Each structure stands twice: as C-alpha cells, then as structure tokens.
Amino acid sequence: MEMESQSGGEKPAGVFGRAWRRVKALPEGLLAKVVDIARQTRDVATDDPRRVVHSLKAGLALTLVSLLYYLHPLYHNFGVSTMWAVMTVVVVFEFTVGATLGKGLNRALATLLACALGVGAHYLASTTGKICEPLLLGFFVFVQAVASTFIRFFPAVKARYDYGLLIFILTFCLVSISGFRTHEILELAHKRFSTIAIGASVCVIVSIFVCPVWAGEDLHRLVATNLEILANFLEGFGAEYFKSSEEEESSKETKPSMAGYKSVLNSKTTEEALANFARWEPGHGRFKFRHPWKQYLKVGALIRQCACRVEALNGYLNSKIQGPGEMRRIMKGTCTKMSMESGKALKELASSLRNMNHPSSAAKKHMANSKTAAKNLKLLLSSSFWEDVDLLQVIPVAAVASILTEIVVCVENIAESVSELAASAHFKDNAAESPPESSSSSASDSDHVVIEVGEMAAPAAEANQSRCL
Amino acid sequence: MEMESQSGGEKPAGVFGRAWRRVKALPEGLLAKVVDIARQTRDVATDDPRRVVHSLKAGLALTLVSLLYYLHPLYHNFGVSTMWAVMTVVVVFEFTVGATLGKGLNRALATLLACALGVGAHYLASTTGKICEPLLLGFFVFVQAVASTFIRFFPAVKARYDYGLLIFILTFCLVSISGFRTHEILELAHKRFSTIAIGASVCVIVSIFVCPVWAGEDLHRLVATNLEILANFLEGFGAEYFKSSEEEESSKETKPSMAGYKSVLNSKTTEEALANFARWEPGHGRFKFRHPWKQYLKVGALIRQCACRVEALNGYLNSKIQGPGEMRRIMKGTCTKMSMESGKALKELASSLRNMNHPSSAAKKHMANSKTAAKNLKLLLSSSFWEDVDLLQVIPVAAVASILTEIVVCVENIAESVSELAASAHFKDNAAESPPESSSSSASDSDHVVIEVGEMAAPAAEANQSRCL
C-alpha cells in the first residue's frame, strides 16, 4: 500500500485510475499483438512465397473434392462415403509433389490390400457362428495391429511405408469389424477404396499440375546452397583472421555473412526427408526418374564434415594474439591462399552442381592452388631459420593452419563425390567444349600444380599426407 | 554362349539343368531372406524392448475400442460413427505418452471447435436459399482451408498444433458440407465429437497406465548419454593419440568405443521432438509438470558444439608424425591431462544429471584440473628454451593442444548450463551434505585451482583468455 501511494503520489487516482489505465492499455496491447502477428505472417510468406501458393492449392483441391457432395449423380453413387474423399485430400495433400505422391500411393494401395484382407477375415469369422464371430474378429484385429505396429519400427519401412501401414491397420479394422454390424461389407470396402482413390487422384493432379514444388529440386538446390555458404565463409576467413587491429575496429559488419554455416550443420534431417520424397517423384525438368538422390546425401554428409571444421575455425576468429612478424607474414600469405582457394573451389563446385555440369576445370585449378599453398607452407616452415620463436604465440596460428589443411582435404573429398554424382546423374560434360581456355590459364600461372584426374580419384593417400603437414 | 559352355563344361546340363539349379536355389534364397528378416526383427526388438510392449499396447487399445461395435447398447448409441473411435485410436496412439496426449488433445479440441464452426457455417449458408447455399459453403471451405494451411507454416504452431489444425480443416469440411445433404447435422457433429473423445481417452489411458514410455524421461536420458559418449572419447583420446608405434600395432580394438560421438552430432531433431512431446506430459516419477524441458535443448546444443570439436580432434588420431622428444613429452603430459580431466568432468556432470543432483564438487575439481593443465602447458611453452624446434612437426600437436583448450572451454559452458538446469528444475543439492569431503580433497591436491561458483558463472571472459592459450 505504501508503494502504491508512492507511485500515485503526484496524482491521487486510486483504484479507479489504475483500472482505467489498464483498460486504456488493453487496445494498445492488442494492437501490438496484431502487429506482431502481421509481421510474422509477412515473414512466413516472404521467406518462401510458395507457401502462399500451397495454401491456395490446398483450398482448390478441397473445393474440387467437395463438388462430390454438391453434384447429385456423384453423391448418389457414394453417399456418406463421400467423406472419405474429403478426408483423403486433407490428409494426403503435402507441400512437395514427392510427399503427396508417396502418401497418396501408400494410402490407396494400403486401402486396397486391407479391404481385401478385411473382407476375407469377415467371411472367415462369419462361418464360425454368432458366439465365436466377435471373439475371432477381435483376435484378428489384435494380431494384425500388433504385427503392423511392430513392423513400423523397421527403419527401411519407417522411411517409406509408415503411412501405408497406418492406413492398413485402420482400414482392416474398419472393414472387418463393420462387417459384424452391416451386411453390405463388400459395398463398404468398394466405396471406401473408390472414394479414397478419387481423393488421392485429386491431390496428385493438383499437386503436379498447379505450380508444382518438387522435393528433388529442393534437395538439389539445398546442397548447392550449403556449398556456397561454406565457400563464403572460407573466402572471407583469411582476411577476417589476419586483419590488423585498426581494420578490426573499422569493420565490424563483415561477420554476419559468415555465420550462415550453422544452418549447414543441422541440415541432415531436411536432406534425408527431401531425398525420401524425391524418390516418389516422376521425371521433371532437368531430373529424370531414378535420379541418384542418394548420392546427394553422401555429398551432404561430406559438406557437414567440412562445416564442422569451419565451426572449429570460427572459434579462432576471436583470438587476438597473432604470431610474430616473419612467421605471421608467411602464415598470412599461405593460410589466406589456402582458405580463399578452397572457398573458390567450393563455389565452382556449387555452380557446376546448380547448372548440372561436370565439375569445371576451374574448380580443379583452385583445388590445386590450395594444395600448392599447403605445400608452400610446409616448405617455408621446414627451412630451419626459426630460432627465436615464441611457441605460445605460434600455437593458435598453427592450429588454424592445421585445420585449413584438413579443410583442403575435405574440399577434395567433396569434389570427388560431386564428380561421382555428375557421372551417375549424367551431367553435361563441357570440358570438351573449352579445353584451350583451361590449359592456357593453368600454364600462365606459374606456381599452380595441375591436378590430374587420377590424383583426384585417390584422395585417401593424399589426405593422409597433407593432413600431417 | 561360349561362356556358358565353358561353365557347363564338366556336366552338359543345358537349359533344363540351369532352370533346375535356379529352382533348387529358390528355396535357399527364400530361406536366406527369411533368416535376414528374422535377424532384423530380433535387432529391432532388442535395440529397444519397449517397442514390443508398444505394439502389444496398440493391439490392446484397438481391441478395447472395437468393443463399441460388439456391445449392442454402445453401438445403438453411435451407429456407423463408431468408426471414428477406431480411427482415432489408430491415428492418435503414439510411442510416448507425450505424443499420444498431444495428439489426443489436439484432435479432441480441434474437433470440438470445428464442429461448432461447421454447424454455424451450415446454418448461415442454409438461410441464403438453395442456389446460394452450395456456393457459400464452397467459399467457406476454400477460405478456411487456405487460412488453416497457411497457419500451419508458422514455426510455433507447427511445433505443437500442426495435427490440431489438420483435424480442424477436416472436421470443418465434413460437418459444413455434410449439412448440405443430411439434415441431422447437429447429431453428426455431436456423434463425431463423442466418438473421437472416446477414442482419444482410450489411447491416453492405455498409454499412461500400461507400461508408460515418457518422452521427458527419454530426453533426460538422451542428454546424459550424449555427455557420457563425449566423456568416453576424451578419456581415451590422450592415450590413443600419444601412444607409441609399438602400442599402435598391438591394440587396434580401442577405437570403436570412441566412434560413438557421430551420433551426438545428429541428435538435434530427436531432442527437439522429445522436448515438444514432454511439454504435454503430466508430472511423472522424478519430473514435475512444467519441468524446464527447454533447458535440456540448450545443454544439448552446447554438447553438439563440443562434439564438433571432438570431430576435429578425431581427424588427428590418424596423423603419425609427432613432435620431437622434449616437446612431445610436455605435450603428452599436459594434453593427456586436459583431455582426461575434461572427460572426467563430463562424466561427473552426466552422472549428476542422471541422478538429478546439482553438479558435484568432483566435476568442478576435474574442470579446475583441466584448466590447470592448460595453464601449465602455457607456462612450459613460454619458458623460452625452444631453439631447435622443427615447426613442421609441431603444428599438428599444436593444433591438438589448441582444440583441447577449446574443449576445456566447451566443458565449462556445458557445466554452467547443467547448473542452470539443476537450479531451474530444483535438483537435489547434496553439496550441503558433504562439504568437508570436497574442501579437503581440493586442499590435499596441491596443484588444483578451486573454481569459485562466481568464476563458473562468468565463463565468457575466461573463455577468451584460455582460447588464446
């Protein structure tokens, strides 16, 4: 009470005053909430405008399927079962074509199979008489549910047929148990399958023919984008790490562009889901049916391995102590080159992936440059004019150099796996189109080592060698 | 054909012979397949025996709900709508209590809301006459579907209410459209809600009272296990990295136990899903309702950051060149100590988390030891008797030392966040029970630095200092 009289000291408003202030604040609070929701809505829509299109497509599919109710002849055929079609559309319609197709096929086939088995179970049970029938039906339902639920735990089944098994349990129970009460069980099974097939078809047709979103294309773009994110970090790292303290103060805004790699570290689940969906998709655009989607997962795993090294590098961006003069000069030159050239190589790989070309000779050139820089560092360090070195100051720089060497190896592995992808997906090989350009450029740069294709194919030995720097 | 006659050279069997061999091989192939499936089944069951129990529970719940069909008075009440109850059980019954409760509540509440709105929409449309009615209904369905589908993209909604919105779209369409054909729309809405509520209740009851699987407990155990995995790696790392080449050959089998950290790197999705489910769960065992599940995600994120450093360390296990004599001796002693003590600290943290105690003084002691080792390394390196050092050989060892220093910082951050968790979840504080023991142990060990609680609370400054080693 004392507190209150203190706060209301200037204006003795009392209880009514406070209540009035609260009421007055209410619309403001509401307004703030509305503004916040509006902002969120805008963000969700602008982050990926295809979300708005997807919502409209879902509305379209549902309205189409509800025509079954409005058109008399159609409703006359199916009656109350029409609701299965509506239900199917709501449940099956997904963001990507692959997910919709996968769910639709799972639902339709599982329904067909379960209807057949359910009808069979019903006839078997109905021959045993009125007392045994419910017991036997209950037994069938129990055994089937236990077995199907258990099978859903198998990893291979879970990845592709989880939804199908769910629908199988559902339909088997409905058909076999309903038979105990209604005697037009065949009609029930027939109607359920037909309406579900109609619903699934509407979904698939709308999903494919109205602004389709292909999971495969998303996966392809995601992997290329992840490559570019790492490339941006590596291209910026050298300058950021070795910049002097004056530069440090003047430019604080370069860092945000380098923090994107965190999203790469957690991309595994998204990639796996997209690859699973993509396997259901027919050929589209530049992608054929049976495009090697699994190879994208391999590339993705290597990219995440590289991102882990980048995360380790990122830890050193904040350390201020840098090696002594001569040491620092050498480290700065070679490390910046290693990092920059690795970044450029990744960028070339990303762009050739995006354009579906074989990895360009430019990528190979940049990789060769980064390896040369690593070798140069080795040579310069082993020339033993290091007599008065403060080891304490050398250690962080040495760690950076060592991690960069690991990254050079990672980039090689990524390049190899992108090459494998290019070979198995029959990417365009435009090496034949421009051989003079690439050979002249590598000849003009005197300190470049040209990597032979054979050398690229066996990076393991190379890896060990350069890892020991 | 030549090849064939070569292979069949000894026995001129011809087409029949080959066909016979194939037929004979068929049962063998089938047998191999059956054996393979049996082996997989055993693996799925032994990996987590709760899966078998869950399958039996699902069977039980379905059999229970199908009683609605068999018992005449119950069926008399609901008629064909009984199928909604069966459907609800199949769809809602999930592995953990949290997931089942979340889905059940979502489904029941969304159905209630959508039934009400659907009935409202039907009455509104039916006042407009026979021609306008279907148009208006179609418009409602379209607008509602577009809005709900879009709202599902909001991250906060997607995490907890995605299923509820799906059911909302579904029920609204069913009720409002069905009203166009059947005139007992109120009865339809009522029956749909009652049967779904019955189905959801059966699920929740079976899920909670028959061998419950709590998502919260799983999350709790997962985080503790991840800590232990990293601890095992760190405890083993020093010995593994610095072992001499003779030891190298004799012991190859230590490595598998250290490779477990890969699973830690990809634990994000599982942790987030479990935390989401856990928030639906009532208090159980040692966990109260509103246990701070989100804090587990913070601990988990820090653990993954540490795992990334461990992945970087792992890369050095294969490099063979090790520093020169004196250098190597110092590095071996301090690095092994840093790694070992960090590992022990993590193990202590894991065990106090498992037992729901505040982090023990032992953990603080081990962290202090690891920091002392880092400081010792710094002191030993700065004493400048390094004149003939081969920098080339120093670099990998230096990198290992530097990464280990980062890990010491990581472990401190993890300890701090576990302390926060312990405070907000009101873990038992058994420091009060045994203060003499902890103080005497730190006093007896002369080279230990006792970390004050205040020091632990501000690791950022400390972090920068020790990062620069």
Side-chain angles (χ1 to χ4, degrees), chain A residues 197-214:
Chain A
I198 290 174
S201 313
V202 169
C203 286
V204 169
I205 288 167
V206 170
S207 177
I208 292 184
F209 293 105
V210 185
C211 311
V213 175
W214 301 100

Side-chain angles (χ1 to χ4, degrees), chain A residues 55 66 69-70 83-84 87 137 170 174 177 181 268-269 305 308 311 315-316 381 395 402 467 469, chain B residues 66 69-70 83-84 87 137 150 170 174 177 181 266 269 305 308 311 315-316 381 392 395 402 467:
Chain A
S55 306
S66 61
Y69 273 90
Y70 303 135
M83 70 167 119
W84 294 118
M87 207 152 175
L137 277 179
L170 186 64
L174 285 187
I177 308 177
R181 287 288 170 187
K268 189 175 189 239
T269 325
Q305 215 169 45
C308 227
E311 157 110 335
Y316 292 96
L381 289 180
I395 282 189
S402 176
R467 183 176 283 146
L469 188 75
Chain B
S66 62
Y69 272 90
Y70 302 137
M83 71 167 115
W84 295 116
M87 211 154 170
L137 277 179
F150 186 74
L170 186 62
L174 285 188
I177 308 176
R181 287 289 170 188
N266 296 317
T269 325
Q305 214 170 44
C308 224
E311 157 109 335
Y316 292 95
L381 288 180
L392 198 57
I395 282 189
S402 176
R467 184 176 282 147

